[in-house]
Amino acid sequence: MSQQPRKPVQKTEAGLYDLDLVREIAESMKVLDGPLIPILHALNNRFGYVDEAAIPVVANVLNLSRAEVHGVVSFYHDFRHEPAKRHVLKICRAEACQSMGAEKLFAEVAQALGDSAQVTLEPVYCLGNCALSPSAMIDGKLYGRVSKETALAEVRK
């Protein structure tokens, strides 16, 4: 049995994204109960983000509207819309962290980073580390009582 050659990856606004592989992933997972979120996680893990070009493919495989798929992608903060940079800094902005200065921390870090080519700065709403507010996750590692200096030092390593 011979395999057909894979079509070249398609150029999208965010970069190269293999839509044939998107279809393969979606087709292989569509038998799951509630397959949309697992498929989106698989795409996020495989490509590092969920490109807009993948939305109609997933919608077609699952017989959903593009709006339904887009709604899920845009609702959950774990689904990236573009590739992450070298470091990912997530600062909690939920109530407990807000009460301990997370809004100010986020603004100060954002200003210090500017348009950094090395750091993706993301707000998140609860890292489950409320007792050590304000909290941040830096490259997958959880930190408590984070200051601007701590956050910047970690992403500049």
Side-chain angles (χ1 to χ4, degrees), residues 23-140:
R23 182 169 296 282
E24 285 177 28
I25 291 168
E27 289 284 352
S28 73
M29 298 178 78
K30 75 179 184 181
V31 296
L32 298 173
D33 285 336
L36 180 56
I37 290 179
I39 289 169
L40 295 174
H41 276 295
L43 297 178
N44 208 51
N45 292 338
R46 173 64 177 83
F47 298 105
Y49 69 109
V50 179
D51 194 279
E52 281 293 317
I55 290 174
V57 175
V58 173
N60 178 267
V61 169
L62 297 179
N63 196 27
L64 298 171
S65 71
R66 287 181 288 181
E68 289 173 292
V69 177
H70 177 75
V72 172
V73 172
S74 61
F75 179 78
Y76 292 102
H77 65 80
D78 282 340
F79 300 128
R80 296 189 195 297
H81 305 285
E82 59 188 34
K85 298 174 184 170
R86 181 171 177 226
H87 297 286
V88 177
L89 170 55
K90 298 178 179 187
I91 297 178
C92 180
R93 297 179 79 181
E95 289 81 4
C97 288
Q98 282 183 30
S99 71
M100 296 302 288
E103 295 293 328
K104 180 181 177 193
L105 172 64
F106 192 91
E108 289 175 346
V109 170
Q111 183 177 5
L113 291 173
D115 192 21
S116 173
Q118 298 293 312
V119 181
T120 298
L121 177 62
E122 299 177 341
V124 293
Y125 298 90
C126 198
L127 290 168
N129 199 25
C130 305
L132 298 175
S133 299
S135 295
M137 184 170 283
I138 304 169
D139 296 331

Side-chain angles (χ1 to χ4, degrees), residues 131-156:
L132 298 175
S133 299
S135 295
M137 184 170 283
I138 304 169
D139 296 331
K141 185 176 176 188
L142 186 61
Y143 292 82
R145 296 191 178 107
V146 177
S147 68
K148 173 182 135 185
E149 292 74 25
T150 303
L152 294 174
E154 288 297 318
V155 296
R156 289 181 176 149

